[in-house]
Amino acid sequence: MTALIDLKNVNKYYGDYHALRGINLEIAQGEFFSLLGPSGCGKTTLLRTIAGFEAPSDGTLHIAGADMNGVPANARPTNMVFQSYAIFPHLSVAENVGFGLRKAQMSKQEKMKSVEEALDMVGLKGFRGRAAHALSGGQRQRVALARALILKPKVLLLDEPLSALDKKLREQMQSELRRLQRQVGITFILVTHDQEEALIMSDRVAVMFEGEIAQLADPQTLYKRPVTRKVGDFIGVMNFLPATVKDAAAIDLDVAGLGAVTIAEDQAPSGITPGAAEVGIRPEMMSILFEGEPDRGQITQATIKDRAYYGDMTYYDVDIEDAPKPITISMKNMIGRPVLEVGDTARVSWDARSLVLFSA
Amino acid sequence: MGAPLAILNTENKKGLALISAPLGYVIAMLAVPLAAILLISFWTQDFQTFDTTPTLNNYREAVTDPLYRELLFRSIRIAGLVTLVTVLLAFPIAYFISFHVAPSRKSLWLFLITIPFWTSYLIRVFLWKVILGFNGVLNSGLQTVGIIDEPLTFILYNANAVVITLAHAFAPFAILPIFVALEKIDRSLLEASQDLGESKLSTFFRVTLPLAMPGVVAAVLIVFIPTIGDYVTPRLVGGPDGLMIANMIQVQFLRLNNAPMGATLAVIAMLSVSLIALLFVALNRRYLRGSR
Ligand SMILES: Nc1ncnc2c1ncn2[C@@H]1O[C@H](COP(=O)(O)OP(=O)(O)O)[C@@H](O)[C@H]1O
Ligand SMILES: [Mg+2]
């Protein structure tokens, strides 16, 4: 099967500034795809290139097999939900949603029905006559969604659609967007700087730094096996420990604080060489052993240096002998688990399978 | 009578204190003369003195005399034409500055547009006389390059000259409100329109123009209201066919020594302007409401 969207070696320059660097990307029909990265990494630029608002400096872009070179935005099978929502302030909700239907081969009644259905789909039944400026942020976003989806695009592009909403509403919209995407079966490309949002919603995520795709993977792989320290650091929290590769073939390591370990091939980058390297481990992949809890293979002694109590979780910073920095461990506050005090000693259990090796 | 003031909270009092000086000024310079004009319009001139018995005779005469009516209608027509020409010319200029001039250059452009206003209004009107005259810059220029044989006569001492001169004089007053309205348009709206399938041209008519309407309405009112009562330009470049109602008011007050008739004409002109302006605002309520 050929990809619905196919970018080959796309570069974008703004004057001397290299905003997109050799982007290669294939996105399948029906996929919920996210572009994730810090502010200024080129996510919007890439999205706007797909939408037709920016022309690539070089490289090719195909959508549904058609070369998009020279095809203007109004002729592309894409629609966009703008970061500001771009709701037309001089039009009513229904006029906004029906904006793109002007040239559609439909009777007036059919158009009205279509608008009604689109509003219904985004949960805005009965809002058709409302003036655009009498809408809340969440409602504006729904109007923007309905306005784009009513045209049944092949691809829906969303530029940080949830970043302006408060936390509760954002979480609600996350699941609603996901449901909507499954319902309509349209390919969604979501731009976000929120790693949690990308993990929750996407089938696949492209992590971008400075105009380049650093890693392209499904959420679990991305979280469990980041390919570089930078990706691991950007997605969630990760502890990094200096390590030495003793044997590159068997992948025998000596990790500061954790000692000698052997890891599997999928935990290491390709082409490792003996010598200095770095190992990463997630806070929840290490665990403080309380009374009666089984260990997970490896045990290390630690002292609590600091702690942050979150209600359902407690985050501990622990000192481990030979480790240059305190290590963060997250513990779920379950029955039978006391919250430890600073200065307490603890036994920390971990599993070699949770380690990720990065080349230095 | 202390009750209404007692209702005012401190906030209102502060506001009242702030506007009291300009308010006093406006009352002295605007309301009082206006009331005086209104009062005089009901009097009758009796050689050197006024007969202060209230009467509607002046109004009857103003409405029935075809000369006054013709002058009023001509004033409305010329002012309407000036407004049309000014706004039609101002819009592309405002559009260009807003959409095609780099943000750092915009204030420079606006500044350049005000340059003609560094000289007095009177001098500018005279300059147009020099340009449009029988042996003026335009005619001799066109004759020199051989485009015309005879000097053009339809460009001076008639209504056309008034329109040209006034349109130039009021251009910045039309450009600025339109520019401000265009500046306020969120550029992502234009992209959204194109994203939804519209071309650049249809985006202009479906998004840009409707959103610029408040500026256009403001420009229309700003140009129309003062031009209808303009007196200097028709006097200097209008010739006999280009005279407007304000010229007649001046004649009544100064030369015919009939202040009550002049006052009556002034009131009628004012009422016409208000009526037309209100009509225009009402027609455009939809647009004015749409933009917050
Ligand atoms: N029109 C432009 N002209 C010049 N530089 C631009 C333009 N648009 C974006 N950039 C630059 O390109 C980089 C990437 O921008 P953008 O794609 O908006 O980042 P993101 O959406 O990931 O925050 C930024 O450094 C930005 O300053
Ligand atoms: Mg962005």
Side-chain angles (χ1 to χ4, degrees), chain A residues 14-15 17 19 37-46 54 159-160 191:
Chain A
Y14 290 117
Y17 185 75
S39 178
C41 72
K43 309 178 295 288
T44 297
T45 305
L46 183 52
E54 306 283 351
D159 191 355
E160 311 226 10
V191 159

Side-chain angles (χ1 to χ4, degrees), chain A residues 242-247 251-263 279 297-300 321-322 350-352 355:
Chain A
T244 315
V245 179
K246 296 280 189 213
D247 183 336
I251 326 191
D252 286 337
L253 310 175
D254 186 12
V255 183
L258 302 182
V261 230
T262 302
I263 59 171
V279 148
Q298 314 270 13
I299 302 278
T300 305
E321 202 179 339
D322 291 335
W350 51 279
D351 177 5
L355 298 180

Side-chain angles (χ1 to χ4, degrees), chain A residues 41-341:
Chain A
C41 72
K43 309 178 295 288
T44 297
T45 305
L46 183 52
L47 203 71
R48 289 170 57 81
T49 304
I50 297 171
F53 295 120
E54 306 283 351
S57 305
D58 56 56
T60 59
L61 163 64
H62 288 78
I63 300 178
D67 190 348
M68 289 291 125
N69 188 18
V71 178
N74 58 2
R76 294 195 182 191
T78 58
N79 281 117
M80 186 142 162
V81 173
F82 288 80
Q83 189 163 7
S84 61
Y85 307 146
I87 303 297
F88 301 115
H90 58 302
L91 302 178
S92 70
V93 165
E95 286 167 324
N96 262 285
V97 173
F99 190 90
L101 292 179
R102 185 171 69 90
K103 284 181 274 187
Q105 306 289 326
M106 282 191 217
S107 70
K108 219 174 167 121
Q109 283 81 357
E110 285 172 317
K111 284 182 188 176
M112 266 166 65
K113 189 159 165 282
S114 177
V115 167
E116 209 64 68
E117 282 167 4
L119 282 174
D120 203 10
M121 184 167 65
V122 297
L124 284 183
K125 217 182 168 88
F127 275 72
R128 51 173 309 132
R130 192 76 79 91
H133 56 78
L135 296 173
S136 72
Q139 290 165 343
R140 289 166 156 264
Q141 181 188 45
R142 287 162 196 265
V143 171
L145 261 174
R147 185 176 72 179
L149 286 174
I150 199 172
L151 300 175
K152 305 201 162 53
K154 291 200 167 73
V155 186
L156 184 73
L157 308 168
L158 305 112
D159 191 355
E160 311 226 10
L162 308 178
S163 61
L165 306 180
D166 62 62
K167 191 167 181 285
K168 270 261 160 55
L169 193 55
R170 189 162 64 228
E171 283 166 2
Q172 184 193 334
M173 280 311 290
Q174 281 170 355
S175 60
E176 222 170 296
L177 267 182
R178 191 69 248 233
R179 173 188 62 76
L180 208 57
Q181 193 267 338
R182 292 208 183 98
Q183 183 188 329
V184 295
I186 290 172
T187 304
F188 277 31
I189 304 181
L190 173 85
V191 159
T192 178
H193 64 262
D194 181 344
Q195 42 96 15
E196 204 176 88
E197 187 170 297
L199 295 184
I200 291 171
M201 298 175 74
S202 325
D203 295 319
R204 280 195 309 154
V205 181
V207 181
M208 289 180 70
F209 294 119
E210 284 151 26
E212 270 178 314
I213 294 181
Q215 188 169 4
L216 202 173
D218 62 275
Q220 288 205 33
T221 309
L222 204 58
Y223 188 79
K224 289 182 187 158
R225 300 281 180 254
V227 292
T228 62
R229 178 190 162 138
K230 207 169 172 185
V231 174
D233 207 15
F234 188 71
I235 312 269
V237 182
M238 197 167 218
N239 295 298
F240 299 99
L241 293 164
T244 315
V245 179
K246 296 280 189 213
D247 183 336
I251 326 191
D252 286 337
L253 310 175
D254 186 12
V255 183
L258 302 182
V261 230
T262 302
I263 59 171
E265 208 171 320
D266 67 339
Q267 294 168 262
S270 54
I272 48 163
T273 48
E278 204 163 22
V279 148
I281 185 162
R282 299 279 181 198
E284 68 280 9
M285 291 298 165
M286 301 185 91
S287 147
I288 291 172
L289 279 183
F290 291 98
E291 283 290 325
E293 289 185 359
D295 69 59
R296 305 190 193 159
Q298 314 270 13
I299 302 278
T300 305
Q301 289 296 325
T303 314
I304 310 294
K305 182 159 185 288
D306 206 352
R307 70 145 213 242
Y309 177 74
Y310 280 80
D312 60 335
M313 304 283 292
T314 307
Y315 279 76
Y316 296 101
D317 281 348
V318 302
D319 277 326
I320 292 177
E321 202 179 339
D322 291 335
K325 279 188 312 191
I327 287 176
T328 304
I329 298 174
S330 67
M331 296 298 293
K332 194 147 184 56
N333 292 332
M334 299 190 309
I335 298 170
R337 276 190 185 169
V339 174
L340 299 178
E341 299 299 328

Side-chain angles (χ1 to χ4, degrees), chain B residues 3 24 35 40 62 78 84 118 153 160 169 176 187 190 195 211 227 229 264:
Chain B
I40 294 172
I78 290 180
L84 189 73
W118 296 6
T153 52
N160 294 338
L176 285 174
R187 298 308 192 250
L190 310 181
D195 189 64
L211 289 176
T227 46
T264 302

